[in-house]
């Protein structure tokens, strides 16, 4: 990593995309089931996502981007995060793998 060119460094950022997807909704929310949003990098928050949800997701963006294993025993590549509302939504956050 110490000898990366500027171009190689910039290309590493292209691999840090994160997708969030609503998988559960139990209360009122402007978002709908199945909605997906993309972080182009851990620093680039998606547009039109509730600020309260983004605040919670911020705690896990770098973990997801760097493939740090989650606590989810069925899939260590996904983080399932509850929004701050007591009757809100649950979102899956995962790194976007190149196809």
């Amino acid at each position: 990593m110490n000898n990366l060119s500027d171009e190689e460094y910039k290309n590493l950022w292209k691999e840090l995309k994160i997708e969030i997807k609503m998988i559960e909704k139990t209360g009122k929310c402007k978002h709908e089931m199945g909605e997906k949003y993309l972080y182009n990098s851990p620093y680039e928050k998606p547009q039109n996502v509730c600020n309260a949800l983004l605040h919670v997701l911020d705690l896990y963006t770098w973990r997801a981007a760097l493939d740090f294993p989650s606590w989810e025993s069925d899939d260590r590549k996904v983080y399932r995060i509850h929004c701050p509302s007591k009757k809100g939504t649950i979102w899956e956050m995962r790194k976007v793998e190149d196809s």
Side-chain angles (χ1 to χ4, degrees):
M1 290 289 211
N2 289 339
N3 298 320
L4 287 178
S5 68
D6 287 345
E7 189 63 30
E8 290 169 323
Y9 178 80
K10 289 176 186 175
N11 285 334
L12 281 176
W13 280 99
K14 294 177 185 175
E15 298 175 17
L16 297 180
K17 291 181 175 28
I18 301 165
E19 178 185 88
I20 59 170
K21 177 183 174 183
M22 185 199 291
I23 61 165
E24 191 174 320
K25 183 175 181 177
T26 56
K28 289 185 178 183
C29 179
K30 75 174 192 173
H31 297 290
E32 298 300 328
M33 280 291 297
E35 279 188 21
K36 293 181 183 180
Y37 295 91
L38 184 68
Y39 286 76
N40 288 314
S41 85
Y43 293 123
E44 289 184 57
K45 296 176 184 178
Q47 297 294 313
N48 301 317
V49 176
C50 168
N51 286 328
L53 174 62
L54 288 174
H55 179 73
V56 175
L57 294 176
D58 277 349
L59 299 170
Y60 303 98
T61 53
W62 278 105
R63 292 175 189 212
L66 297 176
D67 288 326
F68 191 83
S70 77
W71 50 81
E72 303 293 346
S73 61
D74 65 316
D75 186 351
R76 297 277 190 199
K77 291 187 173 275
V78 67
Y79 288 83
R80 294 186 185 104
I81 310 294
H82 199 290
C83 81
S85 174
K86 66 181 177 181
K87 291 185 178 179
T89 58
I90 297 177
W91 294 75
E92 282 189 343
M93 171 185 266
R94 66 176 68 236
K95 181 178 179 181
V96 175
E97 301 293 337
D98 288 336
S99 48

